[in-house]
Amino acid sequence: MTVVLGIETSCDETGVGLVRDGVLLGDALSSSMAEHARFGGVVPEIAARAHVAAVVPCVNEALTRSGLSLNDVGAIAVTSGPGLATALHVGVAAAKAYAMTLGVPLYGVHHLAGHAAADTLEHGPLPAKSIVLIVSGGHTSLLLVNDLVLDPVVHLSDTLDDAAGEAFDKVARILGLSYPGGPAIDKVSRDGDPHAVKLPRPLTGPRDPKLGFSFSGLKTAVARHVEAEQKAGRELAVADIAASFQEAVADTLTRKAILACRLHDVSTLVVVGGVAANSRVRSLAAERCAAAGIELRVPPMRLCTDNGAMIAAVGDLLVRAEAKPASLSLATHPSIELTWAQLDRSVAEVLQNQ
Amino acid sequence: MLVLALDTSTPAVVVGIIDTDQESPLAERFVINPRGHGELLTPLIQEIVAEAGLTMSRLDAVVCGTGPGPFTSLRVGMVTGASIADALGKPVYPVCSLDAIGVAAAEVDDLLVITDARRKELYWARYHRGVRVAGPAVGKPEDVRVPGVVLAGHVASLYAEPWELPDRGIEYPTTATLVAAAGDALLTGAEPGEMVPLYLRKPDAVEPGARKSVIQA
C-alpha cells in the first residue's frame, strides 16, 4: 500500500495530508486568512508569501502527526489548478522537488476533484454515481461524478459571477460584519427572521438555466435594501437581513442540487466547500434530501474547506487506479475546468488502465 | 562536499552541482525563460544530477538565491531549494542573488549590481571588492545611478551607455558564484540562515474604502 502525500496551495490555505488506501493518516494546515481580513478578501501575493513560509513545515507536521517519515512516502499529489496562479506555483514547486528527491511518482490534481474526494476520507468510497455541490469562497459548482478518477467529471453548472462564499463576504461587509462573512452571517442570522426581507432566488425563472447559479444580483439586492433603509432613516435590522440573505442562498443552492439529482437519476448528494459549514445550508439540504429520498453526505468541517488531505485522497485513488504519473515539468492551470481529476494527462493516458 | 546551487531571481534559471574541492562545476544549466521557471527548474536539476553521474542522495547541501527578483519565479526557486533540502535532510544556505554577481567582480573597488525589478525600477546592491556595502534595495533608475562605479548584472548593458559607466559584463549568478557567496558558512557546515525571500516590496493590496452606492441618484 502506497502512502500518498498531498499538497494544496491554491488559495489562502497551505494544506498537507497523508492518505493510504482511502484512510487519512494525518494532516497539517496553515492559513493566511487573518492577514487578508483587513483587505476584505484573499490577496494573492499575501497568500503566496505565506505558502512559501508554511509548505515545508506543514509537510513535516503532517508526517509527525501520521507517525511517518518522508521515507514512507510513496507518491506525491498536488493541486496544479485551478486557483491563484502565484499560489499554485508554490505547492507545485514543492511537490516536484519532493517527488524528484524522494524518487517517487508525482500527480497533478484538480482542486475541485479534491473537494469531491474529501468526503471519502470520512464516509468511505463514493457510490457509482453522485452529484457533488461544491460551494466555497471561490467556487459554486454542481458536478456529476461517476468514478472520480477513471471517468470524466460532468460539470453541470458554475456560478455566472460571484461564488456563494464570496457573496457571504460581500454581504457581511455591507452589513458591517466581520471577514470571513460566512460564520459572521450564520451567527447573527440565528436571531433573525429569514422571511423578513424579500430577496430574489437567482436564476430560478422559467427561462433561466435550471442548474445555473448567480449571486452577484442577490448581493446587490441586499445592498439596495440596506441603502433604502438608511435613506429612510430606519435602523438596520441586521439579523433579519442576514437571515433573509442566508435563506436565499441556502434555498437556491439546495433547490438546484436536488434538481440535479432528479435530472440525472442520482440518489447521493455530496455537499463540500467552506459554505457547507453554514448551518442553514446544512439543515435545508438535510430536510430536502430526506423529503426526496436522497442520501446526503457532508464531510466534517476541516475536510470541507481547503486542505491537503483531500488532494492526497485523489492521489491515493490515482495510485490505486495505476494512473500514469505526471512529468516533473508539470504546469499550473489557474482556471482549468474540471473534466479529469488528474491534470496534465491526455484522455488516452487516463484510459490506458481501464 | 557536493553542493546543488540554484537561482531563479532573474529571467534565467541557473542550476549546477559543484564539488567544493574543484573549480568548475560537475554539471550546470543556464536557461533564459522569464515565464518558464516553474516548468523548467526541477527537470533541469534532474538532468544535471544524471549528467554528474550522481543521485540526489549524494548531495551534501543546497545553496539557493533569495533574490531580490520577480516574486513568482523567485518563490519557485526558493521553495524548490527548501523542499529538496528537507527531503534530503541536508541544509539549505540562502544567498542574496546580487551577492552571487558581486563576488564575481572581487577585483572591483566600487561595483553596482543592478537587475530588473519591473515597473521601471531596479534591484541594486553595491560591493567593495566582492563584499556588499549597500543594499539590496529597489528604486527608480535615476535614484540608483551613482557616478564612478562599475556596473554588473543582467541589465547593466542597458544602463552603461546612458549613465556613461563601464559594464563589467557579469550578467547572472552562476553555480560557482552562488557557492562562493555562501562562503564559509557552507564550507564549515555552520547553521544556515533563514530562507526568507528578498521581496523588498510590500504586496500590492489596498484596503477597501467606503462602498459605492448601488442606487442610482
Side-chain angles (χ1 to χ4, degrees):
Chain A
M1 292 297 172
T2 305
V3 173
V4 181
L5 180 131
I7 300 177
E8 153 67 35
T9 65
S10 70
C11 192
D12 62 339
E13 319 272 3
T14 314
V16 176
L18 290 138
V19 170
R20 180 178 52 207
D21 206 16
V23 177
L24 175 58
L25 304 171
D27 64 341
L29 191 74
S30 171
S31 175
S32 57
M33 188 170 73
E35 294 174 62
H36 304 284
R38 67 195 176 98
F39 300 106
V42 175
V43 179
E45 179 61 24
I46 292 175
R49 290 184 182 193
H51 289 311
V52 172
V55 67
V56 170
C58 277
V59 167
N60 288 299
E61 193 178 327
L63 286 165
T64 303
R65 288 183 182 172
S66 311
L68 297 172
S69 76
L70 275 171
N71 294 327
D72 299 313
V73 172
I76 310 272
V78 63
T79 303
S80 53
L84 304 171
T86 193
L88 287 168
H89 271 292
V90 176
V92 169
K96 288 178 187 179
Y98 278 110
M100 170 182 64
T101 310
L102 299 172
V104 300
L106 170 72
Y107 299 90
V109 168
H110 196 290
H111 178 76
L112 295 185
H115 275 303
D119 190 62
T120 66
L121 297 173
E122 186 70 17
H123 299 122
L126 292 172
K129 236 174 143 185
S130 53
I131 294 288
V132 178
L133 171 65
I134 298 176
V135 57
S136 69
H139 304 279
T140 306
S141 307
L142 274 171
L143 310 174
L144 172 59
V145 174
N146 296 294
D147 186 296
L148 185 60
V149 299
L150 294 179
D151 297 322
V153 174
V154 184
H155 222 120
L156 300 175
S157 69
D158 274 306
T159 178
L160 298 177
D161 38 58
D162 290 357
E166 194 179 350
F168 269 97
D169 288 340
K170 289 175 174 173
V171 166
R173 203 177 142 227
I174 292 167
L175 296 177
L177 301 172
S178 60
Y179 172 89
I185 286 178
D186 200 346
K187 196 175 167 204
V188 301
S189 294
R190 283 179 219 154
D191 304 319
D193 172 5
H195 307 290
V197 184
K198 198 168 154 30
L199 292 170
R201 301 294 187 261
L203 297 187
T204 51
R207 270 175 294 183
D208 289 327
K210 281 190 171 59
L211 300 178
F213 294 112
S214 161
F215 294 102
S216 176
L218 177 59
K219 166 205 70 191
T220 305
V222 173
R224 293 178 81 94
H225 172 79
V226 166
E227 282 183 37
E229 290 290 290
Q230 285 167 337
K231 213 170 172 182
R234 282 190 288 270
E235 198 182 328
L236 278 189
V238 171
D240 285 347
I241 303 169
S244 302
F245 165 75
Q246 179 173 274
E247 187 67 19
V249 175
D251 181 18
T252 312
L253 289 173
T254 53
R255 190 193 294 200
K256 299 207 175 211
I258 301 282
L259 182 60
C261 291
R262 282 208 184 114
L263 290 174
H264 295 275
D265 195 22
V266 173
S267 57
T268 303
L269 172 66
V270 185
V271 183
V272 294
V275 179
N278 181 273
S279 63
R280 186 53 184 153
V281 171
R282 287 178 97 113
S283 67
L284 199 53
E287 197 180 295
R288 288 180 173 173
C289 280
I294 292 166
E295 185 202 5
L296 174 66
R297 293 174 57 154
V298 186
M301 208 43 243
R302 69 192 177 85
L303 293 173
C304 265
T305 47
D306 290 353
N307 64 85
M310 69 184 197
I311 303 306
V314 178
D316 172 58
L317 293 172
L318 288 167
V319 167
R320 286 192 275 153
E322 296 178 16
K324 191 182 162 194
S327 83
L328 291 175
S329 57
L330 177 73
T332 57
H333 298 279
S335 54
I336 193 166
E337 193 172 287
L338 174 56
T339 307
W340 295 100
Q342 185 180 11
L343 297 180
D344 282 285
R345 305 255 338 258
S346 69
V347 173
E349 284 174 330
V350 176
L351 296 175
Q352 74 175 3
N353 292 303
Q354 279 194 328
Chain B
M1 185 194 284
L2 289 170
V3 179
L4 169 70
L6 62 104
D7 185 273
T8 57
S9 68
T10 69
V13 179
V14 178
V15 288
I17 296 172
I18 205 162
D19 180 337
T20 48
D21 294 334
Q22 298 173 18
E23 285 261 317
S24 49
L26 301 173
E28 64 181 336
R29 291 285 186 280
F30 172 84
V31 180
I32 293 185
N33 184 336
R35 299 187 66 81
H37 291 59
E39 289 75 14
L40 288 168
L41 181 60
T42 312
L44 288 174
I45 295 171
Q46 199 175 36
E47 267 179 49
I48 58 169
V49 170
E51 187 178 309
L54 299 171
T55 55
M56 291 296 292
S57 60
R58 295 276 310 281
L59 298 172
D60 297 304
V62 179
V63 170
C64 185
T66 60
F71 305 159
T72 298
S73 46
L74 178 61
R75 277 192 279 270
V76 165
M78 291 194 63
V79 168
T80 301
S83 302
I84 289 172
D86 184 52
L88 291 170
K90 299 286 166 61
V92 55
Y93 291 87
V95 166
C96 169
S97 302
L98 302 178
D99 291 358
I101 298 170
V103 293
E107 81 289 358
V108 178
D109 282 332
D110 200 350
L111 183 82
L112 176 65
V113 176
I114 51 174
T115 61
D116 184 9
R118 299 182 180 168
R119 303 182 194 176
K120 298 177 181 166
E121 290 191 328
L122 297 172
Y123 295 119
W124 65 270
R126 275 174 84 176
Y127 296 84
H128 174 70
R129 299 198 164 258
V131 178
R132 176 152 38 93
V133 291
V138 63
K140 295 186 194 331
E142 58 268 31
D143 301 331
V144 173
R145 181 183 182 180
V146 190
V149 299
V150 174
L151 296 177
H154 73 99
V155 293
S157 61
L158 301 176
Y159 290 89
E161 206 180 292
W163 286 1
E164 297 176 339
L165 291 170
D167 174 7
R168 178 63 179 75
I170 302 169
E171 294 188 294
Y172 296 97
T174 67
T175 312
T177 62
L178 284 162
V179 169
D184 288 344
L186 168 70
L187 299 177
T188 60
E191 185 73 21
E194 268 195 82
M195 285 280 282
V196 179
L198 294 165
Y199 294 117
L200 308 185
R201 283 182 184 136
K202 286 186 176 161
D204 275 337
V206 186
E207 289 184 40
R211 276 190 53 81
K212 281 184 295 187
S213 171
V214 291
I215 300 177
Q216 288 181 353

